[in-house]
Amino acid sequence: IYWYTLEGRDKNGDPAGGWDPHELRTIQDFHVRYSLTSAKGVAEVASIGGFVKEYQVDIDPHAMKAHGVNVEQIMAAVKNSNLDIGARTIEFNRAEYLVRALGYIQELEDLEQSVVAVSDNVPIRLKDVAKINFGPGTRRGGLDKGGAEAVGGVVVARYGANPMKTIENVKEKIAEIAPGLPSKTLEDGTTSKVTIVPFYDRTGLIKETLGTLEEAITLQLLISILVIIILVLNLKASFLISSLLPIGV
């Protein structure tokens, strides 16, 4: 029911650019998408375009052979470095406290320091057998707007929800999160702020459909009233019969 793109705009609302596709996709995936999904009537907000930011581990086979580790050990080290660990409970002053370790990866160094194996009491870390970098994920499509690379999202309404009301809720949520979107100062001194720009809005189609329906019902009422008056010669009967038409619709 609603498409939009994320674009860098200046204070006057004119295109300013200055944002890479992976930066816009990250903002879309971790900020805009979750906010719009919370709008009433929205079933899903799908991201499209840009590049998904990834942690990429490029293993060195020569270093692996020198340290005596294999790919399975590296995969296990990467997986285990991003897990929450529970350590049961500790009783203190007749109260039990849950003990847990948070293992979320936040920086490249977190992965680099992950232990793959231990040899002669010396830990072999991931950085010893591989290079860890940020990189774009493999993609099978993109979003083109006016011949240029774009990043955006598609809003899908819930089954049975009122599309018009859902779009209004989405627009209210966009107005709510717009001030909090990031901005940066470009080399020429221009301030470029990430802005949500409508790409497709079903509101116009809905209003045109309602207008066509209202016009058709109005003409139908007038014609039926005239026909009934001519045939029955009863004004009350014509209004009574014609009133059933819009009720039926």
Side-chain angles (χ1 to χ4, degrees):
I1 60 171
Y2 195 83
W3 283 52
Y4 62 88
T5 56
L6 298 183
E7 303 176 14
R9 297 291 179 99
D10 59 16
K11 61 181 181 180
N12 298 322
D14 299 323
W19 296 87
D20 294 331
H22 77 273
E23 291 179 313
L24 294 175
R25 180 58 183 261
T26 301
I27 297 171
Q28 159 63 19
D29 285 343
F30 297 101
H31 184 73
V32 177
R33 181 166 66 95
Y34 289 121
S35 299
L36 297 187
T37 303
S38 64
K40 186 176 181 180
V42 174
E44 178 189 6
V45 178
S47 301
I48 183 171
F51 296 93
V52 178
K53 192 175 182 180
E54 289 183 339
Y55 293 99
Q56 296 184 347
V57 180
D58 300 323
I59 60 177
D60 184 348
H62 300 290
M64 290 172 55
K65 185 176 181 180
H67 290 90
V69 299
N70 53 43
V71 177
E72 286 75 13
Q73 289 175 298
I74 294 177
M75 293 174 61
V78 173
K79 180 180 179 180
N80 294 333
S81 64
N82 196 36
L83 293 177
D84 286 352
I85 305 299
R88 299 186 181 180
T89 61
I90 290 179
E91 185 175 344
F92 184 74
N93 287 341
R94 297 184 179 181
E96 285 190 343
Y97 296 90
L98 294 174
V99 180
R100 58 185 294 224
L102 300 180
Y104 298 126
I105 296 174
Q106 297 181 348
E107 299 178 353
L108 292 177
E109 290 75 13
D110 297 336
L111 272 177
E112 292 177 345
Q113 297 299 325
S114 300
V115 177
V116 179
V118 178
S119 178
D120 297 329
N121 294 325
V122 177
I124 301 172
R125 305 187 186 278
L126 196 58
K127 66 179 181 179
D128 299 327
V129 294
K131 292 182 179 179
I132 298 94
N133 300 292
F134 288 120
T138 303
R139 65 176 187 173
R140 304 180 64 182
L143 178 61
D144 179 276
K145 183 178 181 181
E149 175 84 15
V151 178
V154 186
V155 180
V156 180
R158 293 179 182 174
Y159 179 78
N162 186 334
M164 179 72 80
K165 185 62 178 177
T166 303
I167 293 175
E168 293 176 357
N169 295 336
V170 169
K171 291 181 177 179
E172 291 177 359
K173 185 62 67 173
I174 290 176
E176 178 182 332
I177 67 175
L181 294 177
S183 61
K184 66 168 61 173
T185 302
L186 306 181
E187 295 181 356
D188 59 358
T190 304
T191 300
S192 178
K193 183 177 178 60
V194 176
T195 307
I196 300 176
V197 181
F199 189 73
Y200 166 76
D201 188 346
R202 194 186 285 183
T203 303
L205 176 62
I206 295 174
K207 290 183 177 180
E208 289 181 6
T209 304
L210 294 177
T212 302
L213 181 62
E214 291 175 357
E215 181 181 0
I217 292 178
T218 301
L219 295 176
Q220 190 180 38
L221 288 174
L222 294 176
I223 294 173
S224 61
I225 289 174
L226 291 176
V227 171
I228 294 172
I229 289 177
I230 293 174
L231 294 178
V232 183
L233 297 178
N234 190 320
L235 184 61
K236 292 183 179 180
S238 65
F239 283 114
L240 179 60
I241 296 174
S242 300
S243 63
L244 298 177
L245 297 176
I247 296 176
V249 173

